[in-house]
């Protein structure tokens, strides 16, 4: 006999719509912001994107590999490489895997010889290295990275071989923390909204709020000390370099081996010399 209370017919659960995967931004996608700008040279921008795709980890790549890495079409990559090869800035020994040629160094040399900041910094760092027998650097902010514009290396303190033109993430380096801390508020918030805080070590700050707090401390103290956040065993100290306008345009840094250089020693023995070097460098900018 059927029950007086009829059981409602079961309805299949409704499937939630699946959002399409978000395409990862590529260097080529940044060019979309300039669509319609009659003064923007897209072909030049594409060539620069191809040049910047070559790294220490990927010194040689095929057209297909460059196309995937840059987001440019194979045809666009091929035309860029053809031009760079004709001008002597790139080439392919086997006809397939392209790499940059020594002539590319002329571009960086042009910058270092024409930049008052770079030319003024190098002798200051060399004098400091001769005095303290430690490695010192000067860097500026370029996008989300720091770029070395002057450097002296007494001993190898990092697994990566750093040199003028080397790039490192700003959020987990002492020089990057200084440069980020003194950014205008709007620029800093834009950076924090897009940065991918990759944990390079177990000490790396990977929270935006913790990074924000660390940057506030940098402004309060006037220096940044980063302890093994980029690489285990690497400890670094950095101070700001001011332009005549009062804007922070660069940073001077000391890098050392953590077991050999305790935090207290860095603060007591090297903070004052770093600040003196930063003041001396600032004087050249007047």
């Amino acid at each position: 006999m059927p029950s007086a209370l009829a059981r409602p017919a079961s309805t299949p659960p409704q499937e939630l719509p699946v959002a399409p995967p978000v395409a990862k931004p590529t260097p080529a996608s940044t060019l979309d912001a300039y669509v319609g700008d009659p003064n923007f040279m897209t072909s030049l921008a594409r060539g620069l994107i191809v040049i910047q795709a070559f790294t220490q980890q990927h010194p040689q790549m095929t057209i297909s590999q460059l196309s995937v890495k840059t987001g440019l079409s194979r045809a666009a990559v091929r035309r860029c490489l053809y031009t760079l090869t004709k001008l002597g800035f790139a080439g392919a020994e086997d006809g397939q895997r392209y790499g940059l040629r020594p002539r590319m160094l002329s571009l960086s040399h042009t910058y270092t010889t024409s930049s008052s900041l770079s030319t003024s910094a190098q002798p200051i760092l060399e004098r400091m290295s001769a005095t303290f027998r430690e490695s010192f650097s000067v860097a500026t902010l370029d996008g989300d990275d720091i770029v070395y514009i002057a450097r002296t290396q007494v001993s190898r303190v990092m697994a990566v071989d750093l040199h003028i033109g080397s790039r490192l993430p700003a959020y987990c380096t002492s020089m990057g923390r200084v440069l980020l801390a003194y950014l205008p508020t709007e620029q800093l918030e834009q950076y924090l909204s897009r940065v991918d805080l990759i944990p390079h070590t177990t000490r790396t700050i990977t929270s935006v709020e913790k990074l924000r707090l660390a940057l506030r401390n940098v402004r309060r103290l006037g220096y940044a000390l980063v302890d093994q956040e980029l690489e285990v065993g690497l400890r670094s100290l950095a101070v700001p370099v001011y332009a005549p306008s009062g804007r922070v345009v660069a940073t001077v840094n000391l890098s050392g081996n953590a077991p050999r250089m305790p935090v207290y020693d860095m603060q007591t023995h090297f903070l004052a010399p770093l600040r003196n070097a930063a003041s001396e460098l600032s004087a050249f900018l007047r």
Side-chain angles (χ1 to χ4, degrees):
M1 181 176 180
S3 172
L5 297 176
R7 178 176 297 175
S10 60
T11 58
Q14 293 183 349
E15 293 185 0
L16 295 176
V18 178
V22 178
K24 186 178 180 180
T26 63
S29 64
T30 62
L31 303 184
D32 295 341
Y34 305 99
V35 172
D37 187 343
N39 296 314
F40 186 78
M41 294 182 63
T42 304
S43 57
L44 174 59
R46 287 170 177 164
L48 294 173
I49 286 175
V50 169
I51 289 173
Q52 293 176 87
F54 293 98
T55 62
Q56 187 175 16
Q57 292 75 27
H58 300 94
Q60 293 184 327
M61 286 180 282
T62 65
I63 290 176
S64 296
Q65 290 170 332
L66 281 164
S67 177
V68 172
K69 188 172 184 180
T70 62
L72 297 170
S73 68
R74 287 168 52 91
V77 171
R78 184 180 293 106
R79 288 194 298 271
C80 290
L81 289 173
Y82 177 84
T83 304
L84 291 170
T85 300
K86 287 295 183 182
L87 296 177
F89 291 105
E93 298 296 338
D94 59 2
Q96 293 184 333
R97 297 178 61 81
Y98 286 83
L100 300 179
R101 291 290 179 259
R103 190 172 187 182
M104 192 63 65
L105 293 173
S106 64
L107 300 180
S108 62
H109 179 70
T110 300
Y111 170 77
T112 54
T113 55
S114 63
S115 167
S116 60
L117 188 59
S118 179
T119 54
S120 302
Q122 195 62 40
I124 294 174
L125 299 187
E126 289 172 359
R127 187 180 70 239
M128 293 181 69
S129 285
T131 302
F132 297 104
R133 306 302 302 167
E134 299 292 349
S135 300
F136 296 90
S137 307
V138 172
T140 58
L141 191 64
D142 181 34
D144 294 349
D145 298 331
I146 60 167
V147 178
Y148 286 76
I149 62 171
R151 177 165 170 78
T152 56
Q153 184 168 295
V154 173
S155 60
R156 187 75 172 269
V157 294
M158 289 188 65
V160 178
D161 184 20
L162 296 175
H163 50 80
I164 295 175
S166 292
R167 305 174 71 92
L168 290 175
Y171 69 91
C172 58
T173 56
S174 62
M175 292 193 287
R177 294 265 175 92
V178 166
L179 294 166
L180 291 173
Y182 290 93
L183 281 177
T185 302
E186 184 179 354
Q187 291 183 33
L188 176 59
E189 290 305 318
Q190 290 174 355
Y191 170 84
L192 293 175
S193 68
R194 69 175 180 267
V195 66
D196 185 11
L197 301 176
I198 299 171
H200 292 272
T201 73
T202 56
R203 294 172 177 256
T204 308
I205 289 179
T206 56
S207 161
V208 169
E209 287 309 312
K210 288 183 179 180
L211 179 58
R212 198 191 303 275
L213 176 61
L215 297 179
R216 282 201 295 266
N217 286 333
V218 171
R219 289 189 69 105
R220 179 175 60 85
L221 298 171
Y223 68 88
L225 195 154
V226 172
D227 188 9
Q228 304 180 76
E229 292 191 41
L230 176 67
E231 183 178 302
V232 174
L234 176 69
R235 186 172 286 146
S236 61
L237 179 70
V239 299
V241 176
Y242 293 90
S245 63
R247 184 171 61 92
V248 172
V249 294
T251 173
V252 184
N253 152 282
L254 160 72
S255 298
N257 183 269
R260 183 178 60 82
M261 193 175 290
V263 170
Y264 179 77
D265 287 354
M266 292 190 86
Q267 293 169 317
T268 56
H269 297 161
F270 293 104
L271 187 56
L274 278 177
R275 283 174 167 161
N276 291 337
S279 297
E280 186 178 353
L281 187 51
S282 295
F284 284 101
L285 303 177
R286 293 172 189 157

